[in-house]
Amino acid sequence: MLYLIGLGLGDAKDITVKGLEVIKQCSRVYLEAYTSILTVGKEALEEFYGKELILADRETVEQEADTILKGAHQCDVAFLVVGDPFGATTHSDLVLRAVKLGVPYRVIHNASILNAVGCCGLQLYNFGEVVSVVFWTDMWKPESFYDKIAKNRRNGMHTLCLLDIKVKEQSLENLMKGKKIYEPPRYMSVNQAAEQLLAIVQNRRLQGEEPEIAENTVCVGLARVGAVDQKIASGTLQEMTTAALGDPLHSLIITGTLHPLELDMLKLFAVDKSIFEHMAE
């Protein structure tokens, strides 16, 4: 059996009782190590679970999935995912490969950022399409995520922005030379995401558009959701460029139409409460 097990969002103890029981019975346990991170390292998980973990990077999961599934007809294999197992499409691909090989599978769910964002007080049923904000480079500055946010805003919906993670990435130079030298991990901050969004807003104005998002659009920055040092800051998009949220992982919400109850909740986390008092008038 292949087990896909969600680890939750905080630390080793966020695993469900069911998930922990399954891990203890498995012959091999893989830890997916590129779509998200916990606030603790691999060693802390191994100590709590009482099992050695095999790190599975993007290359392993996408190109060597058969290695993970090898022998899963005769023994139990666990694949651990931060959050919930189906937060990334790669994991659906692993399930499809298992089915093709005749390996039965079972999913053990857990909390993910997709539902845990409710901690800021915004109603989950008021969210539209989730978007990913990628790191820009000097040569590549896509704006497609802005268009999805704008569409959500026109429909009065909030947008959860999942911010880019770069783990075990190669520089263009090393990639071209075939050198397996990897760049240090990078995790996008709310500040960086807000700066990129403001750059797009300015570009759209230069093109004669009236952007759906502006400097004073109400946003929410979240960091390390589910951990003991979780941090939330609400304020304008401009304020998000300087909000001090600390270590990764970060997420950013661009709000749509705000219900009075949502406004009251956002005041609890306000960088400047006067913004929300003005909106309530």
Side-chain angles (χ1 to χ4, degrees), residues 30-54:
Y30 292 89
L31 174 63
E32 190 263 64
Y34 63 91
T35 59
S36 191
I37 56 168
L38 287 176
T39 56
V40 295
K42 170 175 171 279
E43 294 76 16
L45 298 180
E46 288 178 326
E47 184 179 350
F48 187 73
Y49 301 156
K51 278 281 185 177
E52 181 182 345
L53 304 183
I54 305 163

Side-chain angles (χ1 to χ4, degrees), residues 262-273:
E262 291 179 311
L263 277 171
D264 286 342
M265 285 295 293
L266 291 186
K267 283 181 194 175
L268 300 177
F269 313 109
V271 174
D272 179 0
K273 283 187 170 59

Side-chain angles (χ1 to χ4, degrees), residues 160-210:
L160 170 60
C161 301
L162 303 178
L163 308 187
D164 204 359
I165 295 174
K166 295 290 187 188
V167 178
K168 206 175 179 183
E169 296 275 340
Q170 291 175 272
S171 68
L172 185 59
E173 182 183 356
N174 286 326
L175 195 63
M176 291 175 70
K177 290 180 178 178
K179 293 182 178 179
K180 290 208 169 184
I181 300 171
Y182 301 102
E183 300 291 291
R186 288 190 299 148
Y187 307 97
M188 183 181 284
S189 68
V190 161
N191 309 140
Q192 291 169 305
E195 285 167 2
Q196 288 187 188
L197 270 169
L198 285 174
I200 295 172
V201 168
Q202 290 162 9
N203 286 343
R204 298 300 171 103
R205 285 188 183 132
L206 289 172
Q207 294 167 21
E209 289 184 33
E210 187 55 46

Side-chain angles (χ1 to χ4, degrees), residues 211-228:
E212 292 284 341
I213 304 164
E215 289 78 1
N216 64 349
T217 297
V218 175
C219 299
V220 185
L222 305 102
R224 300 171 304 286
V225 172
V228 291

